[in-house]
Amino acid sequence: RRKSMVTRFQTVDRATPYILPQSIEDWLPEDHLARFVVEVVSKLDLAPLRASYAGRGSTPYDPGMLLSLLFYGYATGVRSSRKIEAATHDSVAFRYIAANSHPDHDTIASFRLRFLVEIGEYFVRILEVARETGMRQVGSVSLDGTKVKANASKHRAMSYRHARKIREQLRDEVDELLRMAEEADRNEKRTVIDVPAELKRREKRLDLIEEAVKEIERRAAETYRVEKEEYDGKMAVREKKEKATGKKVGGKKPAEPKAGPADTDQVNFTDEESRIMPMSGGGFEQGYNAQAVVDNASRLIVGTDLGHASVDKQALQPVLEAMKRNPEGLTTPETVLADAGYCSKHNVEYCVERGIEPLISIGREQHNIPLLERCGGDSELVSRNKEAPCSTESECGQTADNSMDRMKARLKTAGGRAEYGKRKGVVEPVFGIIKEVLNFRRFLLRGLKKAKGEWTLVCMAYNVKRMHIIRTS
């Protein structure tokens, strides 16, 4: 008879103490992301942060350790200060970064909020560290934007029409309460309701509504000023052409903007600087428009910005201007790839003036493009069909009489189409990683300035994670 086999398992012993104390250096593999985060932070000049402490009270935690916790937390999708505190107990990586200490969530949240602007300044220094690890001079870059939800509900927003309606209702109720109070005093009778309390409640709400109405009107005035300047510029160009040619300019005449707010203009009571924005998956959410410039070669983010305009056209110049703070060689890209949302004569001319070649789509790309358009630069195909969009880049450049026409011609060539085709495969995966891997879909902080600082922090965390991948691959 065969004897049954007895399976042996490894012993699980949680009671026997270690003979020698373990070193914290033994807890993680040599190529772990947490080690790399600590290494990158050690190369940053944290003297300004340390100098801001007064030296009184209890001994503070080292800013380098707290900054490392934030970088690693944002790089791994752990952004809440409470979750970071818990992770210093539960996660080996967080425990390694915190050197077996456990800063509470108030300390972590206060550090992030107190030094948000200073932390944003390290975006440039991290790019310098990337240069030290082999990142070459920036060449072709891709620009795109993504909508990120604000820390506010869209149901806490009020439209201009509804705000005025509620304002009139509250004014009528205040007048009625004052009448009731006066009548009660005259007849020396007690009212059924507590008039002073009701008055105080409505006056407080009325002040809030008044502020909302004024804010909507202020925004409308600013929007009208910008749109009127753009309209006047377009009309001046049309008039100049008509005087030069003696003929009316064809095409649809630009519509003159209307002054004043629309009934549908809104303000949010939780985060008044956020805006209702269309989301890519459909519907509308209260949020901000986040911008990123991504280097096509390294996939590192080399420029960031955040705004509350839902359209991207106004975002190109600010985000490229922000790149001027970058290290030498990373300030001015050779080529900028952007979708049709950024297309305008002003943006194209701005790029050309800075020595940047713009490749901005002039319209939404259609699917299943005809063969001759895909191969526009193929001389053999062009010779077979006279209606091919463009033959060679030199010929296109010779026939173009301004920056916009030259860009359109370049986009019709095989080389231009191939270069522009890199955009979607570069910048959109970056946003996918930030939202899916880093789990960044909603801001924790409120207000444009704070949200902008948090977006910069997210982009720095992404860059550190990307630099780690480049090093270990």
Side-chain angles (χ1 to χ4, degrees):
R1 180 183 297 179
R2 296 180 59 187
K3 294 181 179 180
S4 60
M5 299 291 292
V6 178
T7 303
R8 293 185 178 182
F9 297 95
Q10 294 188 24
T11 303
V12 177
D13 185 357
R14 300 187 180 92
T16 303
Y18 293 113
I19 299 176
L20 295 173
Q22 280 193 323
S23 169
I24 197 171
E25 289 293 336
D26 298 332
W27 290 1
L28 292 175
E30 289 296 326
D31 60 350
H32 198 278
L33 175 60
R35 289 182 183 272
F36 185 73
V37 168
V38 172
E39 178 186 339
V40 170
V41 172
S42 69
K43 297 180 180 181
L44 305 179
D45 181 13
L46 302 181
L49 303 188
R50 294 190 174 101
S52 65
Y53 287 86
R56 297 187 297 270
S58 59
T59 305
Y61 288 100
D62 181 70
M65 183 268 285
L66 294 174
L67 185 58
S68 297
L69 282 178
L70 287 178
F71 279 165
Y72 186 76
Y74 273 80
T76 55
V78 182
R79 299 183 294 120
S80 164
S81 59
R82 293 181 182 273
K83 290 183 178 180
I84 293 176
E85 178 190 356
T88 62
H89 294 273
D90 303 336
S91 166
V92 173
F94 277 96
R95 187 181 283 263
Y96 168 84
I97 293 174
N100 213 20
S101 63
H102 310 286
D104 61 77
H105 61 274
D106 281 339
T107 299
I108 298 169
S110 298
F111 176 82
R112 173 172 51 196
L113 192 58
R114 177 183 177 185
F115 296 112
L116 194 61
V117 175
E118 290 82 356
I119 290 173
E121 297 298 322
Y122 293 121
F123 179 84
V124 174
R125 176 56 186 151
I126 288 176
L127 290 179
E128 291 176 348
V129 175
R131 289 287 298 273
E132 295 170 5
T133 58
M135 179 184 176
R136 65 172 179 81
Q137 180 173 338
V138 67
S140 178
V141 299
S142 296
L143 167 63
D144 206 355
T146 185
K147 308 299 191 300
V148 181
K149 294 180 183 179
N151 188 1
S153 170
K154 63 181 179 181
H155 302 294
R156 289 285 296 162
M158 181 175 286
S159 68
Y160 185 61
R161 176 175 55 190
H162 190 60
R164 288 181 298 164
K165 178 182 176 181
I166 297 298
R167 181 178 63 179
E168 293 305 314
Q169 178 183 332
L170 288 172
R171 286 174 176 174
D172 292 341
E173 290 178 359
V174 168
D175 291 340
E176 178 65 19
L177 287 168
L178 291 173
R179 186 193 63 77
M180 291 173 61
E182 183 180 353
E183 183 178 350
D185 290 341
R186 186 168 51 250
N187 299 328
E188 297 183 353
K189 293 181 179 179
R190 293 184 61 184
T191 57
V192 179
I193 61 176
D194 188 348
V195 174
E198 294 297 329
L199 267 175
K200 185 176 181 181
R201 186 178 298 112
R202 279 158 179 77
E203 287 174 348
K204 183 178 180 180
R205 192 179 179 200
L206 185 58
D207 290 341
L208 188 64
I209 298 296
E210 289 282 8
E211 291 178 5
V213 170
K214 290 179 181 178
E215 176 62 19
I216 294 174
E217 291 173 348
R218 185 195 66 78
R219 293 178 187 176
E222 178 63 21
T223 300
Y224 174 75
R225 182 187 65 79
V226 174
E227 292 179 350
K228 188 67 166 60
E229 288 179 359
E230 185 177 354
Y231 169 79
D232 291 341
K234 291 179 179 179
M235 292 303 296
V237 171
R238 289 176 66 93
E239 291 176 6
K240 185 177 180 181
K241 287 184 178 179
E242 289 176 354
K243 287 181 179 179
T245 60
K247 299 179 181 178
K248 287 188 176 182
V249 177
K252 188 176 180 181
K253 186 179 180 180
E256 185 173 358
K258 296 181 180 180
D263 287 343
T264 54
D265 289 349
Q266 295 184 344
V267 66
N268 190 279
F269 291 109
T270 306
D271 183 355
E272 65 177 24
E273 293 186 286
S274 62
R275 300 288 189 273
I276 289 287
M277 294 189 176
M279 307 303 284
S280 59
F284 295 83
E285 289 290 348
Q286 198 76 27
Y288 289 98
N289 191 357
Q291 301 290 319
V293 181
V294 181
D295 178 53
N296 291 348
S298 64
R299 303 296 198 271
L300 288 172
I301 298 175
V302 293
T304 69
D305 195 30
L306 186 79
H308 42 215
S310 60
V311 295
D312 291 327
K313 191 177 296 184
Q314 303 170 18
L316 183 141
Q317 183 171 341
V319 72
L320 292 182
E321 284 292 315
M323 288 184 63
K324 290 182 178 180
R325 298 166 49 248
N326 287 357
E328 185 178 355
L330 302 179
T331 58
T332 306
E334 297 173 0
T335 307
V336 170
L337 315 178
D339 62 24
Y342 298 88
C343 188
S344 73
K345 182 180 179 182
H346 175 73
N347 285 343
V348 172
E349 290 177 346
Y350 166 79
C351 290
V352 173
E353 289 172 0
R354 283 198 59 191
I356 303 171
E357 180 187 18
L359 284 180
I360 306 173
S361 176
I362 58 175
R364 183 179 292 273
E365 291 290 310
Q366 66 180 37
H367 296 286
N368 303 318
I369 300 174
L371 177 62
L372 287 176
E373 289 192 32
R374 293 200 303 271
C375 305
D378 190 310
S379 58
E380 184 178 349
L381 283 172
V382 170
S383 63
R384 296 177 189 172
N385 192 315
K386 295 181 180 179
E387 296 181 357
C390 191
S391 55
T392 63
E393 294 179 24
S394 59
E395 291 179 8
C396 290
Q398 291 172 1
T399 59
D401 59 357
N402 57 53
S403 300
M404 180 68 83
D405 289 339
R406 285 192 293 272
M407 185 189 74
K408 290 179 181 179
R410 166 81 165 135
L411 285 169
K412 290 181 179 180
T413 66
R417 296 194 68 85
E419 182 70 15
Y420 178 78
K422 299 175 184 177
R423 185 198 66 83
K424 182 176 287 189
V426 172
V427 67
E428 292 188 9
V430 170
F431 287 142
I433 292 170
I434 287 175
K435 290 190 172 183
E436 296 295 334
V437 180
L438 275 59
N439 196 29
F440 185 78
R441 295 178 173 276
R442 189 187 189 99
F443 287 102
L444 291 176
L445 306 180
R446 293 171 179 168
L448 178 61
K449 184 177 179 180
K450 294 176 182 177
K452 188 173 183 177
E454 189 175 7
W455 174 243
T456 304
L457 180 56
V458 172
C459 292
M460 284 191 288
Y462 165 83
N463 278 350
V464 172
K465 191 179 185 73
R466 176 63 187 167
M467 288 159 59
H468 177 254
I469 293 173
I470 294 173
R471 171 188 279 192
T472 56
S473 61

